[in-house]
Amino acid sequence: MFRNTYDSDNTVFSPQGRLHQVEYALEAVKQGSAAVGLRSKTHSVLLALKRSTGELASYQQKMFRIDDHVGIAIAGLTSDARVLSNFMRQQAMSSKMVFNRPIPVNRLVSSIADKAQVNTQEYGRRPYGVGFLVIGQDNSGPHLYEFSPSGNSYEYYAMSIGARSQSAKTYLEKHYESFADSSLEDLVRHGLHALRETLQQDKELNVNNTSIGIVGPASVHEKAVPPAGPFRIVENEAVEPFLQTMIAKDTATGAGAVPPAAAAATGDEDVQMAG
């Protein structure tokens, strides 16, 4: 993208009715590594691709627990994600203290959307440069929401954000009708297949670069999970049993899966705030 007369401030509309600073924030989300979310009648799951800044660095955290029933996956500026996730935790804690109940997922997502919208309207502020996939479970069942820096939020059956996420969306659009009745193992396998579509050709999913977030009853690969199925993050060696369930790419393509769509190559690191 390039500079123009109307992109110096987020309160100035262009003649075409666009807020360029907000659009630039949405581009920051597209620079982050991919995250995929899916939901069924009983579970909601998140899958995220972790990146490392170098061989000597650890892999970046891509998921955050907000409350027992809510968790998020991020794409974009990690520092902005920490600020917003702390705000979400405050909202969840306030609901428990004031109303003595877990906060409904849609209300929690609306609260951060309202917070982000303020930064698109007031002078002297910049939009948040991070997008979320939010999963949760409340009295109305499992939920999956997308939050964007523009202040918009939508509920989905399945969604992906981040670099090369269009390839994952193509896979999800082809298979989403089967998600509602899927078991947790099948749901995670579909998510891993979608996440695999976002990889560069020489990369593979492994226990180091893959994170899985789950809300709902435990799978056969999990141990010591309470019956209510609170949000938990599966990482490192615990991911291996789920990776073993994946179908080889050549086999999956031959069975009618959508081949990965061509996508523009982007940087291989999440956007980081300058130190």
Side-chain angles (χ1 to χ4, degrees):
M1 304 184 78
F2 56 89
R3 288 188 56 83
N4 60 60
T5 311
Y6 300 96
D7 72 349
S8 60
D9 187 16
N10 64 334
T11 64
V12 178
F13 281 98
S14 74
Q16 292 78 33
R18 298 163 62 183
L19 293 172
H20 289 283
Q21 284 293 324
V22 176
E23 294 182 12
Y24 296 166
L26 296 173
E27 287 297 314
V29 177
K30 295 179 182 178
Q31 298 298 317
S33 59
V36 175
L38 312 87
R39 70 177 173 94
S40 68
K41 293 178 180 177
T42 56
H43 294 83
S44 294
V45 300
L46 292 172
L47 302 101
L49 185 65
K50 297 187 291 185
R51 285 179 178 164
S52 173
T53 56
E55 293 185 3
L56 300 180
S58 62
Y59 283 83
Q60 178 196 13
Q61 184 179 1
K62 288 283 291 181
M63 292 187 188
F64 296 89
R65 175 186 174 276
I66 303 301
D67 201 350
D68 287 341
H69 68 301
V70 181
I72 63 173
I74 69 169
L77 288 172
T78 309
S79 51
D80 283 8
R82 288 200 306 269
V83 171
L84 284 173
S85 63
N86 285 335
F87 174 77
M88 294 175 74
R89 289 175 180 137
Q90 291 170 6
Q91 294 295 307
M93 182 174 61
S94 175
S95 176
K96 283 188 175 180
M97 293 180 65
V98 175
F99 301 108
N100 194 29
R101 67 167 187 177
I103 188 170
V105 183
N106 66 332
R107 184 171 300 174
L108 182 61
V109 174
S110 295
S111 69
I112 58 167
D114 291 343
K115 184 177 176 67
Q117 191 277 334
V118 171
N119 285 19
T120 70
Q121 190 172 8
E122 291 189 359
Y123 178 80
R125 300 191 181 193
R126 69 161 175 82
Y128 292 104
V130 67
F132 290 168
L133 290 179
V134 184
I135 62 170
Q137 194 160 10
D138 53 29
N139 293 334
S140 58
H143 298 280
L144 167 65
Y145 290 90
E146 181 207 10
F147 155 80
S148 72
S150 61
N152 289 326
S153 62
Y154 301 97
E155 186 168 9
Y156 287 91
Y157 295 109
M159 186 59 182
S160 65
I161 59 174
R164 295 178 288 276
S165 61
Q166 185 57 50
S167 298
K169 288 179 187 175
T170 302
Y171 178 92
L172 296 172
E173 287 168 358
K174 184 174 179 63
H175 296 89
Y176 80 95
E177 291 180 349
S178 66
F179 294 165
D181 298 316
S182 294
S183 65
L184 175 57
E185 291 76 16
D186 289 340
L187 203 62
V188 172
R189 185 173 68 250
H190 279 299
L192 289 171
H193 288 170
L195 190 63
R196 181 174 61 187
E197 300 297 317
T198 70
L199 293 172
Q200 296 176 347
Q201 290 185 351
D202 59 337
K203 303 289 185 180
E204 291 290 340
L205 296 178
N206 57 54
V207 296
N208 294 320
N209 65 9
T210 307
S211 287
I212 303 174
I214 303 172
V215 170
S219 76
V220 296
H221 305 306
E222 296 179 287
K223 298 179 181 179
V225 176
F231 177 79
R232 63 267 187 198
I233 300 175
V234 181
E235 291 183 310
N236 302 324
E237 297 303 325
V239 175
E240 183 62 29
F242 293 101
L243 293 176
Q244 294 294 335
T245 66
M246 294 178 65
I247 301 172
K249 203 166 188 178
D250 294 339
T251 306
T253 303
V258 177
T266 59
D268 198 31
E269 296 179 2
D270 267 332
V271 182
Q272 300 285 344
M273 290 292 285

